[in-house]
Amino acid sequence: MMSSPPPNVTTQPLKDAQPLQEGEQAEQDEVTNLKAAIQREKAAKRKMYGYLVKIADELKTLRKESEQLIHAAEYARRAWYEGGMWRGPNVLPGAYAGSGAGPEGGRNDAADGISPALSVPQAPVSLSDLFLDLVTVTAFSRVGSAIQERGTVDAPILAYFAVFWQIWSKEASYSTRFDTSDISSHIETLLACFALLAGSLSAFSDFHSAGSDRIMGVAGFVALLHMALHARVWYWFQEGGDVNSVNWSVKRYAVFTTLMNVLEAINWAVGIALPLESSWRGWVFLLGILLNMRLPRGFMPNDFHAACSKRGVLFILLLGFNLQSILVVASPYFNYWDPTIDQYTFVFLACFLMFMIKLLYVDDTYSVAPQDHALLYNRLAGFFFHLGNFALLLFTTVLGSGLNLLTQSFLAAAAALPSDAKNLVCGGFSATILSITFIKSMHIRRVPTDPKHQSMFYTAYFTQFVVVITAVYVSARMYMTTDTQGGLAALLMRNEIEMLGVLVGFSVVLVFMSWLDEAIELRLYSDAAEAEQYRVQPFGFWACFKHEEPLQLEAMALERNRSLLAQRSPLLGSSMFLSSGSMYNSFANLNLHVPEGV
């Protein structure tokens, strides 16, 4: 009979295995926790590494942009003779600030080390440019004297004024694309000034006189100057570079401009060769003016802000010359008699009228966002924008001529208001206001998509339009009213002070109405940041036309340029931040992506 095992033989190993399993489980849990901790640590390190990479990229970008600002500032501060006193043509950094490209290769050193996407703004009007502006306004004043003598604007006056304006435009076109601080550019500007002054001496001539020959000779001489100037540019950039590069664009621009100036010079030579009694002489002037017309930014962009500043400076100088001419006319009277209260009032009203027109004028240097500017929205709009500026300068000159005649009649205590003075003042004022309105209509306005806010802005724009049309119509009726006619228009022109007071009243109302949309912005939104929360849509006469993508990309690059300047350099950015004419003119609202290359 077999004996049974002791009762504790099988249970003892089980009791010993239980703590062992518990220990293994604890070790496994600890290993799992360690692995999880290691994974969390790796994830944290990967995340930290990602942050470090981003920080490094930001630092690289900041360093690159800072270097660009430093290089651009050095270029802006460099001596005029650096690179040689007779150096070749150099592309201005600002001319490609919006294109995203820069001069490459070739013989151009204008932007060595400078990224065109970040260029420090330089003084847009140099002293040489300002001297040219003064000479141009002097030529305009000579045309104004001819208008004052004839009492009307005839075809020769219109042609001569256009010739003088296009000579200024040629100089401005070149100086906003190429560096003009070398001696050769100074000599060319001086010769252009001589030509303008010589032509202005013949502003009283008609088409069938030797004076018109002299003006055609002046125009042909300037055409030959710019033919040689751009032929030199072509020679300097003849290698061209890659297609769509800056050098390639400069070469195309130089070839086209040289050929057009050759054709223009031939046209003026043919006009000079015609006999004085020929009926074709007027057509020669027309063809010469047409040969000078260009679609803006066709081959090569220019320094956008510099070009805007030049237009503004020329207009302000013209207003100043008009005011000066009024005092010159009045000086002989004041030399012998002390001014009376009425005479002080007359001079005050004339100055007040000029100042109100200055307020109505759109300084598009920073008051209009680049994306909404006519020149950077549609080339056809830009073409009419230039025509509007020509009309504004012409009719401002007409207004100044009329004010000179009005001053003479007032100080001479004429019994009746001279018809020439009335026609020139009222007609000039009406056409000047219409020209300013036409220029404003070339730009794109932006309204919020919110229906209530949108209706308020549409109401404001419609009210502005009605007030402008009313002022233009009434002043035009004053211009067309004869001395024998009665009615309201005749009552508004019983004497010089009354007529000036009416025109000043119109201008004051127009100035306040021009601020109506800005007042609505302030009423609806406390600041620009709040306005940016609302999306915007384009509105305006040219909004129905398709915007041109290259121009809009250039405008976005200019906006980006200003934003970066505001971020990186507060002193520069403080002046650049004033660019937005409306709180709606913001690229943040457009939800557009600017490519890295722009």
Side-chain angles (χ1 to χ4, degrees), residues 500-545:
L500 264 186
V502 170
L503 297 183
V504 167
F506 278 140
S507 63
V508 171
V509 173
L510 289 172
V511 167
F512 280 103
M513 291 305 301
S514 68
W515 296 337
L516 185 58
D517 49 343
E518 284 85 355
I520 291 178
E521 287 182 358
L522 293 175
R523 176 68 178 83
L524 293 177
Y525 312 109
S526 59
D527 53 20
E530 183 179 353
E532 287 177 358
Q533 298 176 6
Y534 293 82
R535 293 181 59 82
V536 294
Q537 59 183 8
F539 163 74
F541 179 76
W542 292 98
C544 58
F545 288 84

Side-chain angles (χ1 to χ4, degrees), residues 271-511:
I272 295 173
L274 291 175
L276 294 180
E277 63 275 7
S278 174
S279 60
W280 289 97
R281 295 173 68 85
W283 294 103
V284 169
F285 275 96
L286 178 60
L287 180 58
I289 293 170
L290 292 177
L291 287 173
N292 264 295
M293 291 184 176
R294 310 275 192 273
L295 275 179
R297 316 177 87 81
F299 293 97
M300 175 186 177
N302 61 354
D303 191 329
F304 175 75
H305 296 301
C308 293
S309 296
K310 289 179 188 295
R311 287 191 296 268
V313 169
L314 185 68
F315 179 71
I316 294 301
L317 286 176
L318 182 59
L319 288 180
F321 265 62
N322 286 344
L323 187 59
Q324 181 196 25
S325 63
I326 293 173
L327 296 180
V328 169
V329 170
S331 294
Y333 297 91
F334 296 153
N335 289 339
Y336 299 98
W337 298 281
D338 293 333
T340 63
I341 297 299
D342 288 345
Q343 291 168 346
Y344 276 123
T345 303
F346 179 87
V347 174
F348 167 75
L349 288 176
C351 178
F352 197 6
L353 181 63
M354 294 296 177
F355 188 77
M356 289 296 103
I357 292 176
K358 189 273 298 182
L359 291 180
L360 286 172
Y361 176 75
V362 180
D363 180 16
D364 51 0
T365 306
Y366 297 120
S367 61
V368 180
Q371 74 182 96
D372 299 328
H373 199 285
L375 293 173
L376 295 177
Y377 189 82
N378 182 279
R379 282 186 172 85
L380 186 60
F383 176 75
F384 283 105
F385 172 80
H386 285 311
L387 289 185
N389 276 277
F390 167 76
L392 176 61
L393 294 172
L394 173 64
F395 293 121
T396 303
T397 304
V398 173
L399 176 61
S401 302
L403 287 174
N404 289 341
L405 287 176
L406 200 67
T407 303
Q408 290 178 351
S409 67
F410 175 74
L411 296 177
L417 187 63
S419 59
D420 288 347
K422 176 207 70 173
N423 292 340
L424 293 178
V425 172
C426 296
F429 176 81
S430 177
T432 298
I433 298 303
L434 190 60
S435 299
I436 293 175
T437 304
F438 179 76
I439 292 173
K440 289 182 178 180
S441 71
M442 294 297 100
H443 304 306
I444 299 298
R445 294 174 180 259
R446 299 194 177 273
V447 294
T449 54
D450 181 270
K452 292 179 61 177
H453 297 174
Q454 187 179 103
S455 61
M456 294 178 67
F457 277 89
Y458 283 147
T459 303
Y461 294 145
F462 179 75
T463 304
Q464 290 174 342
F465 175 76
V466 170
V467 172
V468 168
I469 294 301
T470 302
V472 170
Y473 173 77
V474 173
S475 55
R477 286 290 300 172
M478 295 168 65
Y479 159 72
M480 292 183 289
T481 301
T482 61
D483 297 335
T484 58
Q485 290 178 332
L488 178 61
L491 291 176
L492 299 177
M493 300 185 298
R494 290 182 297 182
N495 56 60
E496 293 86 351
I497 291 183
E498 182 177 340
M499 187 179 73
L500 264 186
V502 170
L503 297 183
V504 167
F506 278 140
S507 63
V508 171
V509 173
L510 289 172
V511 167

Side-chain angles (χ1 to χ4, degrees), residues 168-204:
W168 175 86
S169 298
K170 285 181 178 180
E171 296 294 318
S173 176
Y174 184 84
S175 62
T176 55
R177 288 177 170 87
F178 303 98
D179 178 29
T180 57
S181 59
D182 59 294
I183 293 180
S184 58
S185 297
H186 286 314
I187 293 177
E188 189 277 331
T189 302
L190 178 63
L191 293 175
C193 290
F194 285 161
L196 271 172
L197 287 176
S200 67
L201 298 179
S202 303
F204 285 76

Side-chain angles (χ1 to χ4, degrees), residues 74-87:
E74 290 175 352
Y75 178 82
R77 292 193 301 265
R78 72 178 186 175
W80 68 271
Y81 52 82
E82 188 173 338
M85 295 184 182
W86 299 87
R87 60 185 177 273

